Amino acid sequence: MKTVIIGGVAGGMSAATRLRRLDETAEIIVFERGHYVSFANCGLPYYVGGVIRDRANLLLQTPESLASRFRLDVRIDHEVTRIDSRSKTVFVRDTLTGEETSESYDRLILAAGATTQSVLAHSDIPLHTLRTVDDVDRITAILGAAALPVSAVVIGAGFIGLEAVENLVLRGVAVTAVEFGPQILGPLDSEMAAPVLDALRSRGVDVRLGTVVTGTLAGRVQLSDDTDVAADFLIEATGVRPDTSLAERAGLRIGESGGIWVDDTQQTSDPSIYAVGDGVEKIDAINSQPTRITMAGLANRHGRASADSIAGTPAPAAPAFGAAIVGVFGITVAMVGWSEKRLVAEARPHRIVHTHPASHASYYPGAETMSIKLLIDAETDAILGAQIVGGSGVDKRIDILATAMAGGLTASALTRLELAYAPQYASAKDPINQLGYVADNLAAGTTRSLQWHELASALEDGAVLIDVRTSGEFAAGAIPGAVNLPLDDLRERLAELPDAPLVVHCQVGQRGHTAARILSQNGFDVRNLDGGFRTWTAGVS
Amino acid sequence: MKTVIIGGVAGGMSAATRLRRLDETAEIIVFERGHYVSFANCGLPYYVGGVIRDRANLLLQTPESLASRFRLDVRIDHEVTRIDSRSKTVFVRDTLTGEETSESYDRLILAAGATTQSVLAHSDIPLHTLRTVDDVDRITAILGAAALPVSAVVIGAGFIGLEAVENLVLRGVAVTAVEFGPQILGPLDSEMAAPVLDALRSRGVDVRLGTVVTGTLAGRVQLSDDTDVAADFLIEATGVRPDTSLAERAGLRIGESGGIWVDDTQQTSDPSIYAVGDGVEKIDAINSQPTRITMAGLANRHGRASADSIAGTPAPAAPAFGAAIVGVFGITVAMVGWSEKRLVAEARPHRIVHTHPASHASYYPGAETMSIKLLIDAETDAILGAQIVGGSGVDKRIDILATAMAGGLTASALTRLELAYAPQYASAKDPINQLGYVADNLAAGTTRSLQWHELASALEDGAVLIDVRTSGEFAAGAIPGAVNLPLDDLRERLAELPDAPLVVHCQVGQRGHTAARILSQNGFDVRNLDGGFRTWTAGVS
Ligand SMILES: Cc1cc2nc3c(=O)[nH]c(=O)nc-3n(C[C@H](O)[C@H](O)[C@H](O)COP(=O)(O)OP(=O)(O)OC[C@H]3O[C@@H](n4cnc5c(N)ncnc54)[C@H](O)[C@@H]3O)c2cc1C
Ligand SMILES: Cc1cc2nc3c(=O)[nH]c(=O)nc-3n(C[C@H](O)[C@H](O)[C@H](O)COP(=O)(O)OP(=O)(O)OC[C@H]3O[C@@H](n4cnc5c(N)ncnc54)[C@H](O)[C@@H]3O)c2cc1C
Ligand SMILES: CC(C)(COP(=O)(O)OP(=O)(O)OC[C@H]1O[C@@H](n2cnc3c(N)ncnc32)[C@H](O)[C@@H]1OP(=O)(O)O)[C@@H](O)C(=O)NCCC(=O)NCCS
Ligand SMILES: CC(C)(COP(=O)(O)OP(=O)(O)OC[C@H]1O[C@@H](n2cnc3c(N)ncnc32)[C@H](O)[C@@H]1OP(=O)(O)O)[C@@H](O)C(=O)NCCC(=O)NCCS
């Protein structure tokens, strides 16, 4: 059996190594048009920033190491230009010599990844993507050669754009971040992205939202807000599309989402051809619909799975949740599943919980506050998504939630999750349990809540806002129109409250919950401002 | 409705606060025989060590704060001496004045925690437990008053014993740790506890295994190994028993495990009496049998649940997995579920996986190696337990596994778990996914493995041990009798191999897996030494 693999990085090489382990006698040829295989795409920005110092660390394997360990025939600088699925042949061009050859296959694995489209037709300032080893060689060459101060424009403030921004700042570059959308980190809800925007700005990054680059002129980058900024180079990080060029021309079915269609064993519409990675369509775990999720974990997993399929032991793939994480200036941002805006866009009934717990028991030194948002199916109590922003412990909590989602745990079941507790690691009621408690209270109707973006209209409709924090907290900054009535005085001062719908709030929502319980049991119509002052502040900022 | 609660810390106070939130008009009286309520038991060792500097941080709530926020009637220094369940009355003694009173109840919550029994009938050296604020006041008083060098003996090298050891060492105390059992951290399997023993000894702790304290004489502590050691004081941390004294005398049903029997709503055999926390029996999630697990998370959870039950909205408790974690000299040790020795003792067919992955992508600086052991049901592929020892990322991985267990994911399903990946947090194939891969290979029979403790007899039976590491690794230390044949040369040197059953091994098991695949497909009878040289070394040490 002869298997040809197109693309020699995350998906392709994972397929190749696994296939060798399953089949010592298989003939396995990997074509990679670039000069490197098995490189750490996800590490590239950190090499630019000098965090990863040794360039060799980016190269996890080489054609030589793959040959000696896995007997793989890895051909770098070889681009597959066409697939003839009838004759089961790929046509290949040596990118160094231009020589054209062809290779037959019994099975073909397409792992060509994603592609980008430049927003600038022409630029007289060097314009790079940050996707390959060559890219970072070019960028670090500019940084090495240029006399400081160097300036750069990063186009796109998504996960990879922000990694680029951070690492350029680490290298002393003055960065302008230009984002077309109304917020950075578009997959998140705006109030969750807000602290990251603050961090960028406080580190001197000039962030332009709702702005596009319109051109370059005389060494300056022109923006749609009618300003221009200096830049020695530009980095484009505006997102990727599945690279379906070969697949389309081979007549393979392209899915609704724009990625190559595959079944749950990674087989394409041609039974001899498998496809994995950024190029293929995934099935969204939330609604079972086709979707595009371009992550290294899925590429690796599906690469391995495609080898299992070819070796005759297919294991059905699980749908994808889209778990993702990024670090920016010491802030960790993580998410899984759907956001509120996505749920709203798809009109899916949901409940929302915002909390701001400590990363571990607050009595033990070093606890850091994180902000968590949980999205819950209003009908089934299923967890539909989560977003977490903070410092230490964020990565742990998103993975617990991702695992809970994979295991089908409801939001209320998080109350019963038994997590390992000692004070330097967690809390006896872990933030994850607390999410469950709050969710459980919403589900049971124990406390009704109100979102930050619902407050203004509630107040317009005549609700009265009660701030149950201490007078000191109130004095340090309060929501306009709020009346201060500290929680510990509430029972004694009920007579002061108006006969109107009430909204209570505290700093993070927790005291508000107790206040809401006191008030509702005393006959008031009351809602607790979810996530308290902190979420509201982030939301309106 | 009048509820009386016995015990005002983890379980009792969680019940009290929740009950108040559910019922503004309830009468709630909490009796606590100590002088403090709502204190951070789990933080006590760290206050001794000076890690937690401010004693006030140990006191999460006070009777005053609980009164003003939750309208709780908290009576410290009040010991309940007897429950009369027929008249629904508790009898109470003021521990300061000796005054005796009684209090009726509609509902009673027993949250009296655990008790200890001293192994020393008499000691002429100060002998303390480390369980209350008073305990740490006494210990820190000794430390403050004594001229250095101070020396101490800690009896019991379980989780809390080791916390005591670490924190005494932090205070400059010369510590002898005396452990009755054959290993420290008894709930773990021995090879997993081994690195912690090394760390203790390298920090100068004199660890005596299989040893008991037999007495004290002239300021020295006498040990069963016929030595004696100097000690200014002793700390006893030999484990706890459920405090069932009140319950027994009230005629409540005591479970087989020795804890108070409760149903899944925390109700005891008397429908008016609920019980929670260290005093009650739990149901083991692995075999649905009664068990004793004494952890803060469960106490808090069941405390809250008992309030729900009393308020008329009972939510069935989930069985317990026994997730636990402890930090010792920078090593994190965590476990959940059953150990190998427990599985063996109960003759439960199981599979075992040992891995030694990096905490995050190894190309990104700062990755630390951890050791993971996964226990899997040989029939159902269910995850039965896990143990992890290492540095950063251990707490995350144990919680992911605990959540996977709660969600009923099989070991093979870990391959498909979608965890959030960026290089500073995880790996594209996370250690958890890798566990799944290895487990999947075992389940499918792709690679057969051998445990470290099975090696000697396999070799005796004529197996030949092949070390597939590099010659440099082999030279630096090898398993006696092993033949070195580096993985990358294996295919060329097959002819050198004997016609005998083979055991292959590498450093951690991963290259061994590839070697085993090569060999088995070439017709050899081969097993891979699970966890490689590292697990074997830890096991035989
Ligand atoms: C800067 C950066 C940071 C990232 N960070 C993260 C992160 O933190 N976490 C995460 O989960 N994901 C991250 N990703 C995404 C992740 O790298 C991808 O999801 C993953 O690499 C996709 O794997 P793949 O095999 O589909 O494609 P790739 O790994 O991109 O490999 C495709 C290969 O195919 C080759 N190829 C394409 N066409 C041909 C052809 N016709 N002939 C021969 N070869 C061809 C390409 O040259 C390329 O090398 C990051 C990506 C980048 C660029
Ligand atoms: C040093 C130490 C470290 C620990 N570390 C951890 C850890 O890291 N992680 C973890 O999960 N668990 C840890 N634990 C265990 C955890 O503290 C317990 O599981 C938890 O506190 C049990 O809660 P409880 O309510 O059952 O008992 P407790 O919290 O012990 O409360 C019981 C209370 O009842 C009172 N009482 C008893 N009898 C009477 C009576 N007759 N009348 C009135 N009052 C009475 C006692 O004085 C006591 O204050 C640790 C425990 C200790 C001592
Ligand atoms: C590295 C690469 C070549 C894949 O190599 P690989 O050998 O398949 O993958 P790993 O090194 O993770 O090893 C996994 C194998 O080791 C096995 N393994 C891991 N630890 C083990 C242990 N302790 N004992 C036994 N087996 C073990 C696994 O079971 C798996 O084998 P299997 O697939 O046969 O089940 C490929 O993923 C790649 O090119 N990656 C770089 C690009 C990339 O991923 N980019 C995106 C992220 S930056
Ligand atoms: C602290 C103690 C008094 C319990 O107090 P508590 O108010 O019940 O618990 P917490 O402070 O964790 O708050 C939990 C409540 O806040 C709610 N909450 C938390 N965050 C919230 C948020 N952001 N928005 C709304 N509500 C929130 C939860 O839903 C829960 O309320 P509920 O039980 O009505 O659902 C008790 O646990 C105790 O005495 N602990 C110390 C002893 C101990 O635990 N020792 C062992 C570990 S060291």
Side-chain angles (χ1 to χ4, degrees), chain A residues 485-505:
Chain A
L485 209 172
L487 172 58
D488 292 348
D489 302 341
L490 196 56
R491 290 185 183 87
E492 282 66 50
R493 293 174 55 186
L494 290 177
E496 295 173 30
L497 292 170
D499 182 17
L502 303 180
V503 175
V504 289
H505 87 86

PDB file of all heavy atoms in Angstrom, chain A residues 485-505:
ATOM      1  N   LEU A 485     -26.551  50.773  49.413  1.00  0.00           N
ATOM      2  CA  LEU A 485     -27.175  50.213  50.618  1.00  0.00           C
ATOM      3  C   LEU A 485     -26.422  48.917  50.919  1.00  0.00           C
ATOM      4  O   LEU A 485     -26.751  47.867  50.373  1.00  0.00           O
ATOM      5  CB  LEU A 485     -28.657  49.950  50.342  1.00  0.00           C
ATOM      6  CG  LEU A 485     -29.609  50.023  51.540  1.00  0.00           C
ATOM      7  CD1 LEU A 485     -31.049  49.938  51.120  1.00  0.00           C
ATOM      8  CD2 LEU A 485     -29.259  49.033  52.602  1.00  0.00           C
ATOM      9  N   PRO A 486     -25.378  49.010  51.746  1.00  0.00           N
ATOM     10  CA  PRO A 486     -24.501  47.857  51.960  1.00  0.00           C
ATOM     11  C   PRO A 486     -25.263  46.608  52.403  1.00  0.00           C
ATOM     12  O   PRO A 486     -26.200  46.695  53.210  1.00  0.00           O
ATOM     13  CB  PRO A 486     -23.545  48.340  53.051  1.00  0.00           C
ATOM     14  CG  PRO A 486     -23.512  49.829  52.885  1.00  0.00           C
ATOM     15  CD  PRO A 486     -24.911  50.204  52.479  1.00  0.00           C
ATOM     16  N   LEU A 487     -24.827  45.468  51.885  1.00  0.00           N
ATOM     17  CA  LEU A 487     -25.503  44.197  52.143  1.00  0.00           C
ATOM     18  C   LEU A 487     -25.749  43.962  53.630  1.00  0.00           C
ATOM     19  O   LEU A 487     -26.843  43.553  54.028  1.00  0.00           O
ATOM     20  CB  LEU A 487     -24.665  43.052  51.557  1.00  0.00           C
ATOM     21  CG  LEU A 487     -25.107  41.626  51.899  1.00  0.00           C
ATOM     22  CD1 LEU A 487     -26.537  41.373  51.457  1.00  0.00           C
ATOM     23  CD2 LEU A 487     -24.170  40.615  51.244  1.00  0.00           C
ATOM     24  N   ASP A 488     -24.730  44.226  54.444  1.00  0.00           N
ATOM     25  CA  ASP A 488     -24.882  43.881  55.855  1.00  0.00           C
ATOM     26  C   ASP A 488     -25.894  44.769  56.579  1.00  0.00           C
ATOM     27  O   ASP A 488     -26.266  44.481  57.718  1.00  0.00           O
ATOM     28  CB  ASP A 488     -23.512  43.905  56.552  1.00  0.00           C
ATOM     29  CG  ASP A 488     -22.612  42.767  56.043  1.00  0.00           C
ATOM     30  OD1 ASP A 488     -23.126  41.869  55.344  1.00  0.00           O
ATOM     31  OD2 ASP A 488     -21.401  42.791  56.331  1.00  0.00           O
ATOM     32  N   ASP A 489     -26.333  45.864  55.937  1.00  0.00           N
ATOM     33  CA  ASP A 489     -27.363  46.731  56.529  1.00  0.00           C
ATOM     34  C   ASP A 489     -28.746  46.483  55.923  1.00  0.00           C
ATOM     35  O   ASP A 489     -29.744  47.067  56.366  1.00  0.00           O
ATOM     36  CB  ASP A 489     -27.025  48.214  56.279  1.00  0.00           C
ATOM     37  CG  ASP A 489     -25.673  48.602  56.845  1.00  0.00           C
ATOM     38  OD1 ASP A 489     -25.165  47.856  57.714  1.00  0.00           O
ATOM     39  OD2 ASP A 489     -25.129  49.639  56.412  1.00  0.00           O
ATOM     40  N   LEU A 490     -28.783  45.627  54.909  1.00  0.00           N
ATOM     41  CA  LEU A 490     -29.977  45.542  54.064  1.00  0.00           C
ATOM     42  C   LEU A 490     -31.230  45.196  54.869  1.00  0.00           C
ATOM     43  O   LEU A 490     -32.270  45.850  54.742  1.00  0.00           O
ATOM     44  CB  LEU A 490     -29.736  44.511  52.963  1.00  0.00           C
ATOM     45  CG  LEU A 490     -30.681  44.510  51.764  1.00  0.00           C
ATOM     46  CD1 LEU A 490     -30.714  45.879  51.097  1.00  0.00           C
ATOM     47  CD2 LEU A 490     -30.232  43.453  50.747  1.00  0.00           C
ATOM     48  N   ARG A 491     -31.099  44.166  55.713  1.00  0.00           N
ATOM     49  CA  ARG A 491     -32.300  43.714  56.424  1.00  0.00           C
ATOM     50  C   ARG A 491     -32.889  44.826  57.295  1.00  0.00           C
ATOM     51  O   ARG A 491     -34.098  44.918  57.427  1.00  0.00           O
ATOM     52  CB  ARG A 491     -31.987  42.511  57.309  1.00  0.00           C
ATOM     53  CG  ARG A 491     -31.699  41.233  56.530  1.00  0.00           C
ATOM     54  CD  ARG A 491     -31.505  40.048  57.448  1.00  0.00           C
ATOM     55  NE  ARG A 491     -31.150  38.839  56.702  1.00  0.00           N
ATOM     56  CZ  ARG A 491     -29.904  38.518  56.375  1.00  0.00           C
ATOM     57  NH1 ARG A 491     -28.892  39.303  56.736  1.00  0.00           N
ATOM     58  NH2 ARG A 491     -29.673  37.427  55.678  1.00  0.00           N
ATOM     59  N   GLU A 492     -32.023  45.662  57.862  1.00  0.00           N
ATOM     60  CA  GLU A 492     -32.493  46.717  58.750  1.00  0.00           C
ATOM     61  C   GLU A 492     -33.104  47.893  57.977  1.00  0.00           C
ATOM     62  O   GLU A 492     -33.839  48.684  58.535  1.00  0.00           O
ATOM     63  CB  GLU A 492     -31.337  47.255  59.617  1.00  0.00           C
ATOM     64  CG  GLU A 492     -30.990  46.343  60.787  1.00  0.00           C
ATOM     65  CD  GLU A 492     -30.410  45.006  60.320  1.00  0.00           C
ATOM     66  OE1 GLU A 492     -29.472  45.040  59.499  1.00  0.00           O
ATOM     67  OE2 GLU A 492     -30.933  43.955  60.724  1.00  0.00           O
ATOM     68  N   ARG A 493     -32.730  48.000  56.706  1.00  0.00           N
ATOM     69  CA  ARG A 493     -33.129  49.206  55.977  1.00  0.00           C
ATOM     70  C   ARG A 493     -34.106  48.918  54.841  1.00  0.00           C
ATOM     71  O   ARG A 493     -34.243  49.720  53.907  1.00  0.00           O
ATOM     72  CB  ARG A 493     -31.876  49.912  55.465  1.00  0.00           C
ATOM     73  CG  ARG A 493     -31.031  50.474  56.611  1.00  0.00           C
ATOM     74  CD  ARG A 493     -29.711  51.059  56.140  1.00  0.00           C
ATOM     75  NE  ARG A 493     -29.878  52.084  55.114  1.00  0.00           N
ATOM     76  CZ  ARG A 493     -28.866  52.666  54.458  1.00  0.00           C
ATOM     77  NH1 ARG A 493     -27.614  52.346  54.750  1.00  0.00           N
ATOM     78  NH2 ARG A 493     -29.101  53.582  53.533  1.00  0.00           N
ATOM     79  N   LEU A 494     -34.803  47.796  54.949  1.00  0.00           N
ATOM     80  CA  LEU A 494     -35.735  47.428  53.876  1.00  0.00           C
ATOM     81  C   LEU A 494     -36.783  48.502  53.638  1.00  0.00           C
ATOM     82  O   LEU A 494     -37.234  48.719  52.508  1.00  0.00           O
ATOM     83  CB  LEU A 494     -36.443  46.106  54.212  1.00  0.00           C
ATOM     84  CG  LEU A 494     -35.580  44.829  54.187  1.00  0.00           C
ATOM     85  CD1 LEU A 494     -36.410  43.626  54.615  1.00  0.00           C
ATOM     86  CD2 LEU A 494     -35.027  44.615  52.790  1.00  0.00           C
ATOM     87  N   ALA A 495     -37.140  49.206  54.726  1.00  0.00           N
ATOM     88  CA  ALA A 495     -38.207  50.205  54.621  1.00  0.00           C
ATOM     89  C   ALA A 495     -37.818  51.350  53.698  1.00  0.00           C
ATOM     90  O   ALA A 495     -38.683  52.050  53.147  1.00  0.00           O
ATOM     91  CB  ALA A 495     -38.541  50.747  56.019  1.00  0.00           C
ATOM     92  N   GLU A 496     -36.512  51.541  53.504  1.00  0.00           N
ATOM     93  CA  GLU A 496     -36.074  52.640  52.632  1.00  0.00           C
ATOM     94  C   GLU A 496     -36.276  52.348  51.161  1.00  0.00           C
ATOM     95  O   GLU A 496     -36.141  53.231  50.321  1.00  0.00           O
ATOM     96  CB  GLU A 496     -34.574  52.920  52.853  1.00  0.00           C
ATOM     97  CG  GLU A 496     -34.244  53.417  54.228  1.00  0.00           C
ATOM     98  CD  GLU A 496     -32.724  53.518  54.431  1.00  0.00           C
ATOM     99  OE1 GLU A 496     -32.004  53.764  53.444  1.00  0.00           O
ATOM    100  OE2 GLU A 496     -32.288  53.315  55.573  1.00  0.00           O
ATOM    101  N   LEU A 497     -36.525  51.070  50.848  1.00  0.00           N
ATOM    102  CA  LEU A 497     -36.535  50.702  49.431  1.00  0.00           C
ATOM    103  C   LEU A 497     -37.850  51.080  48.769  1.00  0.00           C
ATOM    104  O   LEU A 497     -38.914  50.970  49.385  1.00  0.00           O
ATOM    105  CB  LEU A 497     -36.289  49.193  49.289  1.00  0.00           C
ATOM    106  CG  LEU A 497     -34.880  48.780  49.683  1.00  0.00           C
ATOM    107  CD1 LEU A 497     -34.765  47.258  49.765  1.00  0.00           C
ATOM    108  CD2 LEU A 497     -33.881  49.309  48.653  1.00  0.00           C
ATOM    109  N   PRO A 498     -37.774  51.511  47.538  1.00  0.00           N
ATOM    110  CA  PRO A 498     -38.982  51.937  46.825  1.00  0.00           C
ATOM    111  C   PRO A 498     -39.814  50.739  46.399  1.00  0.00           C
ATOM    112  O   PRO A 498     -39.309  49.617  46.325  1.00  0.00           O
ATOM    113  CB  PRO A 498     -38.417  52.653  45.599  1.00  0.00           C
ATOM    114  CG  PRO A 498     -37.117  51.968  45.341  1.00  0.00           C
ATOM    115  CD  PRO A 498     -36.571  51.610  46.695  1.00  0.00           C
ATOM    116  N   ASP A 499     -41.033  51.001  46.080  1.00  0.00           N
ATOM    117  CA  ASP A 499     -41.930  49.965  45.558  1.00  0.00           C
ATOM    118  C   ASP A 499     -41.776  49.922  44.029  1.00  0.00           C
ATOM    119  O   ASP A 499     -42.647  50.354  43.294  1.00  0.00           O
ATOM    120  CB  ASP A 499     -43.368  50.284  45.969  1.00  0.00           C
ATOM    121  CG  ASP A 499     -44.326  49.200  45.484  1.00  0.00           C
ATOM    122  OD1 ASP A 499     -43.846  48.091  45.141  1.00  0.00           O
ATOM    123  OD2 ASP A 499     -45.528  49.491  45.416  1.00  0.00           O
ATOM    124  N   ALA A 500     -40.633  49.441  43.605  1.00  0.00           N
ATOM    125  CA  ALA A 500     -40.325  49.403  42.158  1.00  0.00           C
ATOM    126  C   ALA A 500     -39.497  48.162  41.903  1.00  0.00           C
ATOM    127  O   ALA A 500     -38.946  47.587  42.846  1.00  0.00           O
ATOM    128  CB  ALA A 500     -39.527  50.655  41.775  1.00  0.00           C
ATOM    129  N   PRO A 501     -39.403  47.723  40.660  1.00  0.00           N
ATOM    130  CA  PRO A 501     -38.477  46.626  40.384  1.00  0.00           C
ATOM    131  C   PRO A 501     -37.072  47.051  40.789  1.00  0.00           C
ATOM    132  O   PRO A 501     -36.683  48.199  40.547  1.00  0.00           O
ATOM    133  CB  PRO A 501     -38.585  46.441  38.864  1.00  0.00           C
ATOM    134  CG  PRO A 501     -39.838  47.105  38.459  1.00  0.00           C
ATOM    135  CD  PRO A 501     -40.061  48.220  39.438  1.00  0.00           C
ATOM    136  N   LEU A 502     -36.360  46.142  41.411  1.00  0.00           N
ATOM    137  CA  LEU A 502     -35.005  46.455  41.880  1.00  0.00           C
ATOM    138  C   LEU A 502     -33.975  45.673  41.079  1.00  0.00           C
ATOM    139  O   LEU A 502     -34.217  44.541  40.676  1.00  0.00           O
ATOM    140  CB  LEU A 502     -34.844  46.093  43.351  1.00  0.00           C
ATOM    141  CG  LEU A 502     -35.810  46.737  44.355  1.00  0.00           C
ATOM    142  CD1 LEU A 502     -35.478  46.236  45.766  1.00  0.00           C
ATOM    143  CD2 LEU A 502     -35.700  48.259  44.297  1.00  0.00           C
ATOM    144  N   VAL A 503     -32.840  46.317  40.887  1.00  0.00           N
ATOM    145  CA  VAL A 503     -31.653  45.598  40.436  1.00  0.00           C
ATOM    146  C   VAL A 503     -30.601  45.796  41.522  1.00  0.00           C
ATOM    147  O   VAL A 503     -30.337  46.939  41.920  1.00  0.00           O
ATOM    148  CB  VAL A 503     -31.121  46.132  39.088  1.00  0.00           C
ATOM    149  CG1 VAL A 503     -29.805  45.434  38.718  1.00  0.00           C
ATOM    150  CG2 VAL A 503     -32.157  45.959  37.988  1.00  0.00           C
ATOM    151  N   VAL A 504     -30.049  44.696  42.021  1.00  0.00           N
ATOM    152  CA  VAL A 504     -28.974  44.835  43.007  1.00  0.00           C
ATOM    153  C   VAL A 504     -27.646  44.517  42.323  1.00  0.00           C
ATOM    154  O   VAL A 504     -27.596  43.762  41.359  1.00  0.00           O
ATOM    155  CB  VAL A 504     -29.149  43.892  44.220  1.00  0.00           C
ATOM    156  CG1 VAL A 504     -30.303  44.339  45.079  1.00  0.00           C
ATOM    157  CG2 VAL A 504     -29.306  42.446  43.777  1.00  0.00           C
ATOM    158  N   HIS A 505     -26.604  45.116  42.849  1.00  0.00           N
ATOM    159  CA  HIS A 505     -25.302  44.704  42.346  1.00  0.00           C
ATOM    160  C   HIS A 505     -24.244  44.889  43.409  1.00  0.00           C
ATOM    161  O   HIS A 505     -24.377  45.701  44.325  1.00  0.00           O
ATOM    162  CB  HIS A 505     -24.912  45.460  41.074  1.00  0.00           C
ATOM    163  CG  HIS A 505     -24.223  46.766  41.318  1.00  0.00           C
ATOM    164  ND1 HIS A 505     -22.862  46.847  41.507  1.00  0.00           N
ATOM    165  CD2 HIS A 505     -24.704  48.018  41.415  1.00  0.00           C
ATOM    166  CE1 HIS A 505     -22.534  48.122  41.706  1.00  0.00           C
ATOM    167  NE2 HIS A 505     -23.632  48.849  41.659  1.00  0.00           N
TER     168      HIS A 505
END
